[in-house]
Amino acid sequence: MAKTAKSASSASAQKPAAKKPVKKSGPKLAAPTYCDIAIIGGGPAGLSLARALEPAGLKVLVLESSSEAELKNPKPDGRDIALTHLSRTLMTELGLWQRLPEAEINPLREARVINGTSPYFLQFNKPDAPDAALGWLVPNFLIRTAADEAARVCKHVELRTNCTVKDVRTNDDSATITLASGERIIAKLAVAADSRFSQTRRQVGIATRLRDFGRAVIVCRMTHELPHDDIAYECFIDEQTLAVLPLFGQNCSVVITLPSYEAAKVQRMPAAEFNAYIAQRFQHRVGKMELYGERVLYPLIATYADRFYAPRLALAGDAAVGMHPVTAHGYNFGLRGAVDLAQRIIKAREAGEDIGSLELLRAYSRQHRKVTRPLYLATNGLVEIYTKDHLPARLLRKGLLHLGNALPPVKRLLMNQLTELPEA
Ligand SMILES: Cc1cc2nc3c(=O)[nH]c(=O)nc-3n(C[C@H](O)[C@H](O)[C@H](O)COP(=O)(O)OP(=O)(O)OC[C@H]3O[C@@H](n4cnc5c(N)ncnc54)[C@H](O)[C@@H]3O)c2cc1C
C-alpha cells in the first residue's frame, strides 16, 4: 500500500522529529571594508603620503593607533627637525609648509663641525642667494600638526584614529589588514609607515638590518646668554656628540648622544647641574645656558630594510629607513620617498595601470635605496669614527675636518647631501 500523506505524517509524529543539522560557526565575520590604498601609521611620513596621493582620486585610508586628540594636537616631543631645501619645496607643494607658524621656522645660516676642544672647525656657509639658508629647523610636533591638517582637507583621504593594525597578509592581488577591533580592510596596496620598529614589515617577511649604537639621545631646549648668530654646531667630544641648533631669539635646541648607561643619569640631573654640564661641554660659546621644558630621551637604533616592498605592500618613512639623527635626515628621506611613491601611483592610475604592481613597487624601492643608502652608511660610519676614543679614530676625525675644509669638491658633496639643494 502506498503511504498516504496522513500515514506518513502520523508515522513521523511517533518518531522524534529529525533535527536539522546545526552549522557550527564562530561569531559572524563582518563584511570587510574595501579601499584602494591603506596607509598603516599616521606619523609625518604616512600623513604626507596620504596628502601626496590626493590628486590620484583614489580611496585612501590612514590607520593610526593614536587617538583623534593626539593626532590633531600632538604634544611637543623635544625633537626639532632640520629640513632641507628639497623638503621645503615638497612641503610647500603639499600645503604643509604654509601651515607652520612662521615664528617656529628657524633658519640655519651656518654650520660648524668641531672635534673635541680644538678651536678648528669644518664650516658650511649658507648658499649665495637672498633668503638662503642651509636649512630650517622646525619642531616635530608642528610638522605632525601640519601634515594632519593637510591630510584632513583631502576629499579622498579618510583618517581612522584609535585604530591599531594587528595583522597584515598580502597576496598577488590585494593586502588584507586586520585591526585590533577584528575589522578587516582589503586594499589594492598597503603602505607600512608604522615606525622604524614596523610590525607590518616583519609580518610580511621583510628582513631588516638594525644597528643598535648602545647609546641614547637626549633632546631639550635651552635659553642662553649670548646670540647664536643662526649657527648650528655639531661637536664630537669624548665619545659623545653634542649638537646646539639655533632657534628664535637666544634659544637653542640641544641634542646630546651618550652611552645608554649615562643618558638616563644626565636626563635626571638637577636642572642647575645640567645647565652647567651643557655650557661647559659647549665651551661657553653662548655663555650661560638654561634649560626650559622637558628633556626627552630616545634610544639610538638605526634600521634599514633589505627591500622596501613586498607583493601589494610598500614601506615608507622610518619603516624603510630609520636614520641616526646626527645627519638630520629621517623625515627628509621619509617625505622624499612618500612623494616619489605617490607620483608613481598617480602616473599608473592616469595610464589605467595597476597601482600596486610589483613593477611599480620595485622601481620605487630601487630609487629610494639609491637616494638613502649612501647617507645611511656614511652616517653610521661617521658615528663610529666620532664616538670612539682610540688613536686611529682620533687621527681620522682630525684629518677628516681638515680634508673637508681643504677640498672644495668634498665639501660641496657633503653640502649637497645635507641641504638637498638642487644642482646649480
Ligand atoms: C632626536 C631625533 C631628532 C631627529 N632629527 C631629525 C632631523 O633633524 N631631520 C629629519 O629629517 N629627521 C629627524 N629625525 C627623524 C624623524 O623624526 C623621523 O624620521 C620621523 O618622525 C619618522 O616619521 P614616520 O611617520 O616614518 O614614523 P613615526 O613618527 O614613528 O610614526 C609612526 C606612526 O605609526 C603609528 N603606528 C605604529 N604601529 C601602528 C599600528 N600597528 N597600527 C596603527 N598605527 C601604528 C604610530 O602611532 C605613529 O603615529 C629625528 C629623530 C629623532 C629621534
Side-chain angles (χ1 to χ4, degrees), residues 18-24:
K19 275 189 185 164
K20 270 194 176 168
V22 180
K23 273 193 197 156
K24 280 199 178 160

Side-chain angles (χ1 to χ4, degrees), residues 40-46 63-66 71 79-83 137 140 144 163-166 193-196 199-200 217 219 255 298 316-319 321 323 325 328-333:
I40 302 160
L63 311 168
E64 167 56 46
S65 52
S66 313
L71 202 65
R79 290 184 224 184
D80 284 295
I81 304 293
L83 297 166
L137 210 59
N140 191 45
R144 293 184 58 193
C163 178
T164 300
V165 169
K166 276 281 168 230
D194 52 349
S195 87
R196 68 184 60 202
Q199 175 188 287
T200 309
V217 60
V219 284
V255 186
Y298 296 92
D318 277 16
V321 186
M323 293 286 292
H329 257 58
Y331 177 63
N332 290 307
F333 278 159

Side-chain angles (χ1 to χ4, degrees), residues 32 97 122 158 168 194 222 236 253 261-262 270 333 362 398:
W97 190 264
L122 172 62
E158 186 188 332
V168 180
D194 52 349
M222 299 183 86
F236 295 94
S253 174
Y261 58 86
E262 259 186 78
F333 278 159
R362 275 201 195 109
K398 201 169 159 192

Side-chain angles (χ1 to χ4, degrees), residues 291-339:
L291 173 75
Y292 68 93
E294 275 181 58
R295 282 164 275 182
V296 186
L297 188 147
Y298 296 92
L300 276 178
I301 298 171
T303 56
Y304 202 90
D306 280 3
R307 56 194 159 88
F308 299 164
Y309 72 98
R312 296 285 154 188
L313 182 127
L315 302 181
D318 277 16
V321 186
M323 293 286 292
H324 186 297
V326 73
T327 44
H329 257 58
Y331 177 63
N332 290 307
F333 278 159
L335 176 65
R336 189 165 170 173
V339 170

